[in-house]
Amino acid sequence: MADRPLTLMAVHAHPDDEATGTGGVLARYAAEGIRTVLVTCTDGGCGDGPGGVKPGDPGHDPAAVALMRRKELEASCDVLKVSDLEMLDYADSGMVGWPSNDAPGSFWQTPVQEGATRLAELMRYYRPDVVVTYDENGFYGHPDHIQAHRITMAALEMTALAPKVYWTTMPRSMMRRFGEIMREFHEDMPEPDPAEAAAMAEIGLPDDEITTWVDTIAFSGQKFDALAAHASQGENIFFLKMGKERFGELMGMETFVRVQDATGAAVPENDLFAGLR
């Protein structure tokens, strides 16, 4: 590895996903001299338009939203000091059940092998030592997150590379804490119905099943600023309502489950690059 830098590749679904789950590690490892590569699979065209106009409403132009979100993504990458941004530019599929799920050309409708072939080319070019993406359920069931998981795992099978592979996750203890904080900020928020509460309880993992806890508190300010760079989606980014200090207290640890490793590094670990340096 003397002829190339250690490299982290994060594969995300939409502009702004890079900051939410991996903003801390992207900033931390960039500061440590590691090359950070972000692959964003969709154009984000199902996000809010100017003035908060929603997809499907009059005045929502997916192409214009995608262009706006690309600029925001580039600004976020500047904040996080991401070395290389690669966009696959598939059409955003929207949330579960939206008509855009079925639109020709949407990421959700793209054959896995097609997306995986393109991603495998990027993997062969960058030769990542660590790859990060979502779990089989895309963390919370978003179609594009699930598809990002599928193409990442298929792309890895297409290459001769053997990086450490991680899926983003969150400890259930932290999920409960987030629920408390959301009620604190929204005192009139109704209690979820039992089915919704049961589904929420399944998000994340029990604390003792998390393999990797990375301290990124020193970079939480960058993570906050990267999220804030996605200003057009501010209505949907709850974390920005906390303010930077509270955000740092709550978002200073990023957690993962390690699913592929050839280093033999012991778990639990506190470094995605444990065993590589």
Side-chain angles (χ1 to χ4, degrees), residues 61 172 196 220:
D61 179 354
R172 296 254 169 89
E196 183 181 338
S220 60

Side-chain angles (χ1 to χ4, degrees), residues 189-231:
M189 188 173 73
E191 289 292 326
D193 66 55
E196 183 181 338
M200 286 294 292
E202 293 301 311
I203 293 177
L205 288 173
D207 293 33
D208 60 1
E209 292 182 20
I210 291 173
T211 63
T212 312
W213 304 70
V214 184
D215 183 352
T216 62
I217 193 165
F219 304 93
S220 60
Q222 279 176 262
K223 181 172 179 173
F224 184 93
D225 290 343
L227 274 171
H230 296 281

Side-chain angles (χ1 to χ4, degrees), residues 11 30 54 98 155 196 207-208 238 272-273:
V11 183
K54 304 298 181 184
W98 287 13
E196 183 181 338
D207 293 33
D208 60 1
F238 163 75
L272 298 178
F273 288 85

Side-chain angles (χ1 to χ4, degrees), residues 108-129:
W108 185 239
Q109 292 299 318
T110 298
V112 169
Q113 287 297 104
E114 177 190 320
T117 298
R118 294 180 62 196
L119 183 56
E121 291 177 5
L122 293 174
M123 288 179 174
R124 293 187 189 102
Y125 178 78
Y126 288 107
R127 302 184 62 81
D129 302 281

Side-chain angles (χ1 to χ4, degrees), residues 7-245:
T7 300
L8 165 66
M9 176 179 282
V11 183
H12 281 292
H14 311 99
D16 77 24
D17 289 333
E18 79 291 337
T20 307
T22 57
V25 292
L26 288 168
R28 170 180 162 167
Y29 290 122
E32 293 178 7
I34 288 170
R35 179 169 61 178
T36 53
V37 180
L38 171 63
V39 180
T40 301
C41 296
T42 80
D43 61 11
C46 285
D48 288 357
V53 63
K54 304 298 181 184
D57 288 350
H60 187 279
D61 179 354
V65 171
L67 181 60
M68 173 179 64
R69 297 195 71 185
R70 166 131 197 172
K71 293 176 180 176
E72 292 176 339
L73 177 60
E74 291 170 351
S76 172
C77 287
D78 285 344
V79 170
L80 298 173
K81 309 301 182 188
V82 169
S83 309
D84 300 272
L85 170 62
E86 298 283 353
M87 295 194 72
L88 300 186
D89 269 333
Y90 290 108
D92 190 342
S93 309
M95 301 295 284
V96 176
W98 287 13
S100 48
N101 294 176
D102 301 320
S106 71
F107 190 37
W108 185 239
Q109 292 299 318
T110 298
V112 169
Q113 287 297 104
E114 177 190 320
T117 298
R118 294 180 62 196
L119 183 56
E121 291 177 5
L122 293 174
M123 288 179 174
R124 293 187 189 102
Y125 178 78
Y126 288 107
R127 302 184 62 81
D129 302 281
V130 172
V131 173
V132 176
T133 193
Y134 314 100
D135 62 18
E136 305 101 315
N137 192 46
F139 185 60
Y140 67 98
H142 193 297
D144 287 331
H145 290 220
I146 294 170
Q147 190 76 330
H149 163 85
R150 290 174 176 171
I151 73 162
T152 301
M153 302 312 291
L156 286 163
E157 291 184 2
M158 292 178 178
T159 73
L161 306 173
K164 296 178 80 176
V165 179
Y166 294 88
W167 297 341
T168 56
T169 190
M170 191 171 287
R172 296 254 169 89
S173 61
M174 190 179 294
M175 290 297 298
R176 288 191 293 272
R177 181 72 181 123
F178 281 148
E180 294 167 3
I181 291 163
M182 288 183 75
R183 283 187 288 275
E184 175 186 328
F185 278 85
H186 302 280
E187 294 179 0
D188 58 347
M189 188 173 73
E191 289 292 326
D193 66 55
E196 183 181 338
M200 286 294 292
E202 293 301 311
I203 293 177
L205 288 173
D207 293 33
D208 60 1
E209 292 182 20
I210 291 173
T211 63
T212 312
W213 304 70
V214 184
D215 183 352
T216 62
I217 193 165
F219 304 93
S220 60
Q222 279 176 262
K223 181 172 179 173
F224 184 93
D225 290 343
L227 274 171
H230 296 281
S232 69
Q233 309 306 306
E235 181 183 329
N236 303 317
I237 303 176
F238 163 75
F239 302 113
L240 295 176
K241 297 178 175 66
M242 298 180 184
K244 191 173 282 190
E245 183 176 349

